[in-house]
Amino acid sequence: MILKDQVALITGAARGIGKAIAARLAREGASVAIIDIDGEQARKTALELECELLRAVPYTCDVADPGEANKVVKKVVSDLERIDILVNNAGITRDGLLMRMKPEEWDLVFAVNLKGAFNFIRSACRQMLKQRAGAIVNISSVIGLIGNAGQANYSASKAGLLGLTKSAAKEFAPRGIRVNAVAPGFIETEMTAVLPEEAKQGWLASVPLNRAGSMEEVASAVLFLVGPDSEYITGQVLQVDGGMIM
Ligand code: NAI
């Protein structure tokens, strides 16, 4: 139980990769705050974890809203008494060719994927600074590293997360807070389930390990980056992509 007595906030944790991360951290002893815009699903997920005798508390929040983020972080501190870990996982896509992309589609993807992480880092760092310790992981994407036709907004937001990760890592290092990013490749989730079969096969052809990744494999990378085995690692991007990019 390497995270015993620790408190972890995970955004977008009602389903998918965020849920897998929450479950993994909880099984290592952390109390987890399940933060999601889908409050009903967040409650179901927290209940599922509680049935495993893990400590999980659901919170409804749109990460794009700085006021809501601040309120939820305060509520977590009052409910669970500390914040040791923050995982900025909430993310969305609004794909389309640049020429046809609506400014609102650009803004919404940035508001959730990038500003959402800024909102939570800004609010949660106060408690971490008080504790003089903390670990933050931002979930980026390989698309933030290599770009992708039809995903200019998503790619730019995920690349932006890497700049945010490195700047925050430099800013917080003297105060004992580490900040890293995980860049998943092609992972089997509800987000990728909706892709056309042809697109899936195209992506898989570029993976040397010759298969899609699982949510649990992303969760393992996050656990490493928030746990005691990575205490000398900050400002890094860990790719979980089967060798897609090297
Ligand atoms: P998903 O769509 O299955 O889950 C995303 C969760 O975030 C949902 O529970 C949703 O309700 C929540 N969410 C959406 N907007 C929100 C908001 N404004 N405020 C709070 N919560 C919000 O997605 P998935 O596949 O689990 O992805 C999780 C993260 O991993 C995302 O950041 C995604 O960009 C990233 N990623 C996923 C990959 C994949 O292959 N699935 C590959 C690379 C990165």
Side-chain angles (χ1 to χ4, degrees), residues 13-90:
R15 69 173 205 182
I17 292 172
K19 179 179 175 182
I21 294 168
R24 191 66 194 271
L25 303 191
R27 285 180 199 129
E28 287 299 335
S31 298
V32 293
I34 309 283
I35 295 163
D36 208 284
I37 197 167
D38 184 346
E40 190 48 44
Q41 191 56 42
R43 274 188 287 281
K44 281 187 195 154
T45 295
L47 204 63
E48 254 181 63
L49 295 182
E50 278 176 357
C51 288
E52 272 188 59
L53 299 181
L54 305 170
R55 183 138 193 242
V57 186
Y59 299 89
T60 309
C61 173
D62 177 358
V63 297
D65 183 323
E68 279 191 34
N70 213 16
K71 239 195 232 124
V72 158
V73 167
K74 280 193 178 143
K75 184 85 175 68
V76 172
V77 174
S78 105
D79 292 348
L80 302 173
E81 290 170 11
R82 46 190 298 122
I83 297 178
D84 304 281
I85 295 163
L86 166 65
V87 183
N88 286 305
N89 163 82

Side-chain angles (χ1 to χ4, degrees), residues 11-19 21 35-39 41-42 60-65 68 88-93 108 111-113 120 139-143 154 158 161 182-193 195 213 215 218 240:
T11 68
R15 69 173 205 182
I17 292 172
K19 179 179 175 182
I21 294 168
I35 295 163
D36 208 284
I37 197 167
D38 184 346
Q41 191 56 42
T60 309
C61 173
D62 177 358
V63 297
D65 183 323
E68 279 191 34
N88 286 305
N89 163 82
I92 58 165
T93 52
L108 182 62
V112 177
N113 297 6
F120 268 85
I139 306 298
S140 177
S141 165
V142 290
I143 302 301
Y154 182 76
K158 292 296 188 179
L161 268 180
V182 167
F186 191 88
I187 309 297
E188 268 171 7
T189 66
E190 286 171 60
M191 189 188 247
T192 50
L195 289 174
M215 299 185 268
V218 178
V240 182

Side-chain angles (χ1 to χ4, degrees), residues 181-243:
V182 167
F186 191 88
I187 309 297
E188 268 171 7
T189 66
E190 286 171 60
M191 189 188 247
T192 50
V194 296
L195 289 174
E197 194 50 39
E198 214 175 294
K200 277 190 215 168
Q201 290 310 323
W203 274 111
L204 287 179
S206 67
V207 179
L209 287 180
N210 206 23
R211 63 172 176 86
S214 70
M215 299 185 268
E216 288 70 27
E217 285 167 322
V218 178
S220 295
V222 172
L223 176 62
F224 168 67
L225 288 173
V226 302
D229 288 342
S230 62
E231 266 169 8
Y232 198 52
I233 298 178
T234 196
Q236 302 305 306
V237 184
L238 179 51
Q239 290 169 220
V240 182
D241 66 356

